[in-house]
Amino acid sequence: MDLTYSAGEEAFRAEARAWLEANVPRGLESGDTAVGFAQHLEWERLLFEAGWAVVSWPRDYGGRDASLWEWLIFEEEYYRAGAPMRVTQNGIFLLAPTIFEFGTPEQQARVLPRMAAAQDLWCQGWSEPGAGSDLAATKARAVRDEQRGGWRLTGQKTWTTRGAFCTHMFGLFRTDPESERHRGLTYFMVPLDTPGVTVRGFGRLDGDEGFAEVFLEDAFVPDDAVLGGVDRGWSVAMATTGSERGLTLRSPGRFLSAAQRLVELARSQGVGDDALARDRVVRAWIDAEAYQLFTLQQVTEIAAGAATGARSSLNKLFWSELDVRLHEAALDLLGPEAELDDAWSRGFLFALAGPIYAGTNEIQRNIVAERVLGLPRK
Ligand SMILES: Cc1cc2nc3c(=O)[nH]c(=O)nc-3n(C[C@H](O)[C@H](O)[C@H](O)COP(=O)(O)OP(=O)(O)OC[C@H]3O[C@@H](n4cnc5c(N)ncnc54)[C@H](O)[C@@H]3O)c2cc1C
């Protein structure tokens, strides 16, 4: 693994840093509130206009043809500059890699440029009241409409992040009524203004109102809403989870910058002789560096043609637990003042969700045990 960057990569970093330092907005409200979401969109559209929204995508779709290394550099600079989490992330980081892998050229041309420009806003419709960890228990169904050349969707999705503000949803539906579990599922892309779709927003633990339940009642979508083939949804969905747990959703830059803020907090609070507090800060910093190195190793392997597969569960376990420890250390340093520190206390509440979303950590441990380590199922 070569950890030195080329002159071109350093120039890319310098260009990204200069642009971000001049343009990153300050003081946006949470992107999971209606007001904050609108503020974030303004920012993400500016990113797009300057060519920084989707750096690793082809130029035709609004990107810069950047390599994976350059994408990591951009992410590092993005968080270093204090830029906010992307409200378009479930589209650009989860659905887009899946469309690059499984979409037809027509789907790629139709969906990707509007996604990059933050015109179409995508949410993830996987979880249902009876299908969370057990995604293969999906009950929402799609019935063939031969006459109109498409499908009628019926069912309920829940925990749809920013669903209350998005325009489109991707999700799994059962197309073969006789099928069970992983078979007979199909991956659909659904405009949320389709007649028969009702989106009902609801609040989260931290008070933000972006979560939604999505109800579908005979909602018609044409054949070109199917991604990756009828009854093949499970393998398409597994590609999305690879992105969600692995490289793309939570890049190391985010944790490096949080660890740096923690070090600064420790200095400003004067941890002095408190060996325990110092130890926790140092551990968070080392963990963020370790995650960075682990990711660089993964990118090296991907660049050589290897697939990440089930090992993406290792990333997810590592970043989600690191995030909780890092925020706990910050709150302990702040003591009672933590109540007044919005960034750290809200960050802590969100960190607590990390071991749940993108597949719970118990499920990731099962996957690592069985599919990475080859341990017996029972
Ligand atoms: C902040 C946040 C954002 C989310 N965003 C979205 C979104 O945008 N779209 C979407 O579709 N979903 C989203 N989710 C939902 C998330 O994917 C589910 O919460 C998660 O998959 C767990 O499902 P569940 O809540 O039904 O819990 P359950 O599956 O009922 O699990 C309950 C508990 O049982 C444990 N458990 C279950 N099965 C096993 C097993 N086989 N072995 C060991 N332990 C087990 C789980 O680990 C968990 O602790 C989000 C969740 C959160 C917290």
Side-chain angles (χ1 to χ4, degrees):
M1 185 161 101
D2 182 3
L3 291 179
T4 50
Y5 290 111
S6 68
E9 285 160 347
E10 290 297 0
F12 178 86
R13 183 190 290 283
E15 189 189 349
R17 183 173 294 187
W19 190 86
L20 288 164
E21 279 176 358
N23 289 284
V24 163
R26 303 281 160 207
L28 302 192
E29 291 196 27
S30 158
D32 289 271
T33 61
V35 171
F37 189 81
Q39 295 171 341
H40 279 68
L41 277 189
E42 215 174 289
W43 157 239
E44 298 204 21
R45 287 174 181 153
L46 181 69
L47 262 184
F48 173 73
E49 280 157 25
W52 295 110
V54 285
V55 291
S56 59
W57 293 17
R59 288 186 191 278
D60 283 353
Y61 301 145
R64 287 181 180 239
D65 273 323
S67 67
L68 264 181
W69 298 107
E70 287 170 329
W71 174 74
L72 280 175
I73 291 171
F74 176 74
E75 286 281 300
E76 226 179 276
E77 292 303 320
Y78 186 87
Y79 287 106
R80 181 186 173 277
M85 271 231 291
R86 307 281 296 272
V87 293
T88 54
Q89 66 180 20
N90 286 357
I92 58 177
F93 292 150
L94 306 188
L95 178 59
T98 317
I99 293 187
F100 280 119
E101 190 174 345
F102 291 94
T104 61
E106 181 278 322
Q107 285 175 322
Q108 293 177 354
R110 174 164 50 92
V111 177
L112 295 172
R114 292 185 58 78
M115 182 195 289
Q119 287 169 330
D120 291 345
L121 307 163
W122 290 85
C123 58
Q124 181 183 27
W126 286 16
S127 303
E128 297 182 3
S133 298
D134 190 9
L135 185 61
T138 294
K139 289 258 183 317
R141 61 182 193 279
V143 177
R144 182 83 193 132
D145 185 334
E146 285 296 350
Q147 213 177 356
R148 291 182 68 187
W151 299 84
R152 295 189 168 280
L153 310 179
T154 299
Q156 179 188 350
K157 300 292 178 178
T158 190
W159 310 123
T160 319
T161 293
R162 289 180 286 281
F165 314 133
C166 284
T167 60
H168 289 68
M169 179 179 82
F170 55 94
L172 280 179
F173 292 79
R174 198 164 288 283
T175 27
D176 176 358
E178 306 296 315
S179 68
E180 282 184 9
R181 309 290 302 154
H182 311 81
R183 297 196 183 84
L185 294 168
T186 299
Y187 198 112
F188 281 93
M189 300 184 285
V190 187
L192 289 175
D193 62 359
T194 304
V197 177
T198 307
V199 179
R200 196 161 73 198
F202 64 94
R204 294 193 319 199
L205 169 72
D206 57 10
D208 289 1
E209 71 266 30
F211 257 157
E213 290 181 294
V214 180
F215 300 89
L216 302 104
E217 187 76 53
D218 247 356
F220 176 81
V221 289
D223 282 329
D224 63 12
V226 170
L227 182 62
V230 174
D231 292 345
R232 301 221 177 110
W234 187 258
S235 53
V236 186
M238 287 308 102
T240 307
T241 58
S243 302
E244 189 172 15
R245 295 168 189 164
L247 210 54
T248 49
L249 186 67
R250 296 283 179 257
S251 68
R254 177 167 181 262
F255 305 104
L256 290 170
S257 109
Q260 189 53 40
R261 282 198 297 125
L262 181 66
V263 169
E264 282 154 22
L265 178 70
R267 286 199 179 116
S268 70
Q269 297 288 112
V271 283
D273 292 336
D274 185 342
L276 191 61
R278 279 207 317 257
D279 196 48
R280 293 172 77 190
V281 174
V282 169
R283 177 168 183 202
W285 190 84
I286 291 175
D287 282 351
E289 291 287 323
Y291 183 53
Q292 157 95 324
L293 291 172
F294 178 65
T295 307
L296 292 174
Q297 183 191 25
Q298 238 176 3
V299 171
T300 308
E301 288 172 6
I302 292 170
T308 310
R311 280 183 308 156
S312 60
S313 293
L314 289 170
N315 296 51
K316 202 264 154 165
L317 281 167
F318 197 84
W319 62 247
S320 57
E321 295 183 356
L322 151 66
D323 210 25
V324 174
R325 280 196 303 273
L326 196 151
H327 281 85
E328 276 173 351
L331 293 201
D332 285 349
L333 283 172
L334 284 163
E337 277 175 54
E339 295 275 334
L340 304 172
D341 188 305
D342 217 32
W344 282 114
S345 56
R346 286 180 67 91
F348 173 65
L349 289 179
F350 189 64
L352 289 181
I356 304 172
Y357 66 81
T360 68
N361 283 11
E362 289 78 13
I363 296 297
Q364 305 318 305
R365 287 196 160 83
N366 285 347
I367 294 172
V368 170
E370 290 163 16
R371 291 173 49 205
V372 179
L373 300 175
L375 297 176
R377 285 177 71 85
K378 293 243 161 125

